[in-house]
Amino acid sequence: MTDKQNLIEEQDSLIEFPCDFPIKVMGASVPHFAETIGAAMRELVPDFDPTTITERKSTGNKYTALTVTVRATSRAQLDSIYLMLTSHPLVKIVL
C-alpha cells in the first residue's frame, strides 16, 4: 500500500489515530482466558499491557467478557487485531 493510499484510508476513518481503543472479547469461562488473550494481543502489539484487561463473568459463570484497551496506531492495525481475535479458538464474539 502506498503512502497516499494509507493517507486516504486514515482520512476515511472516523477514528483519529493514535488513540486508546476498547475492544470487547467474549468467550467461554476457561482458566487463564484473560492471560491467553493478553498474550495473543502482545504478538500484534508488543507494548500492550495485559494488566489493563478488565474481566467480567456472566451470571452463571459460563461466559467471560473482557475489555481489552489497545493503543491503536492505524485502521490496518485494528483490522489485524480483530482478525486475530475473531479467529482465536477461545473467542466467541468480538465487538
Side-chain angles (χ1 to χ4, degrees), residues 8 12 19 31 39 41 45 50 55 75 82 88-89 92 94:
I8 290 170
D12 287 343
C19 67
M41 289 295 298
V45 185
E55 184 175 351
R75 181 176 171 182
Y82 272 88
H88 195 284
K92 302 291 183 199
V94 180

Side-chain angles (χ1 to χ4, degrees), residues 18-52:
C19 67
D20 290 333
F21 194 86
I23 301 170
K24 296 284 188 183
V25 181
M26 290 167 245
S29 291
V30 296
H32 311 292
F33 180 57
E35 292 87 351
T36 303
I37 297 304
M41 289 295 298
R42 289 200 62 153
E43 291 180 23
L44 293 176
V45 185
D47 62 344
F48 175 73
D49 181 5
T51 64
T52 62

